[in-house]
Amino acid sequence: MTTQPHIADSSFPAPDFTLQRDDGAEVQLSSLWAKRPLVLVFLGDLANPFTGDNAAQLRDADEAFAKVDADIAAIVASAPEQSLRFRHHWLLPYPLLSDPGRRAYEAFGVRPSSSATFVVATDGLVTYARHASNLADYPPTSALIAAICDATGAEPPAPPPPSLVLPQDEPL
């Protein structure tokens, strides 16, 4: 059973850090939300299958995030080399930022070995915050799209039309 995670009732300033991307380059977090809203995900233990599932769901929603003019980035408590292997394994199009000292985790109030998801608007305010109760407890991408649209005033993209799948051996 999962408990209800914390979801921000009001916005607050996002902590800003310089972190290292998995390719070794340094990145200032504020540069990631300067032009477009950012879905900032703190991933848990990279060896946990739920962490991979969370990362893959975000990967699969990359086009939906682009439609509402938002970017994705993930913070991991691993070294850049481990992050790079994880990103390549899961074919992630978004950057993984290394925080082995967990300074960003602490500043955002994310417990060690836990996960959390934030939406940061272009003014640097966190408009959505959800702390997971366990590694399998992460928000659906539809909730993140809705949070971005709430923050920007954008219209949510229309859901894809349902597909009709007929059994192969049954007549119409």
Side-chain angles (χ1 to χ4, degrees):
M1 182 169 124
T2 59
T3 59
Q4 179 64 2
H6 174 271
I7 297 176
D9 293 327
S10 60
S11 58
F12 58 92
D16 193 13
F17 285 91
T18 299
L19 297 174
Q20 196 172 24
R21 271 191 339 221
D22 54 23
D23 65 3
E26 289 192 343
V27 175
Q28 188 76 28
L29 280 181
S30 57
S31 72
L32 299 176
W33 63 68
K35 294 183 180 174
R36 296 169 54 152
L38 179 69
V39 176
L40 183 62
V41 180
F42 286 78
L43 295 174
D45 178 10
L46 297 184
N48 187 298
F50 291 114
T51 300
D53 186 57
N54 186 3
Q57 284 193 22
L58 292 166
R59 173 201 65 210
D60 295 346
D62 191 53
E63 188 176 311
F65 289 117
K67 285 182 181 176
V68 294
D69 202 29
D71 288 322
I72 306 168
I75 296 178
V76 297
S78 303
E81 304 79 36
Q82 294 169 303
S83 302
L84 183 63
R85 282 193 302 274
F86 182 84
R87 188 167 64 82
H88 284 192
H89 175 79
W90 289 99
L91 304 172
L92 304 178
Y94 52 86
L96 294 185
L97 308 172
S98 292
D99 183 23
R102 299 180 193 262
R103 294 177 314 128
Y105 277 77
E106 185 177 316
F108 276 86
V110 181
R111 293 173 293 148
S113 300
S114 187
S115 64
T117 306
F118 301 88
V119 172
V120 184
T122 57
D123 60 3
L125 293 177
V126 173
T127 59
Y128 175 94
R130 184 167 190 254
H131 295 266
S133 59
N134 59 59
L135 289 178
D137 179 32
Y138 40 86
T141 53
S142 60
L144 299 173
I145 297 291
I148 292 162
C149 291
D150 285 348
T152 64
E155 286 293 320
S163 61
L164 179 61
V165 178
L166 297 175
Q168 294 290 332
D169 54 348
E170 291 186 28
L172 289 174

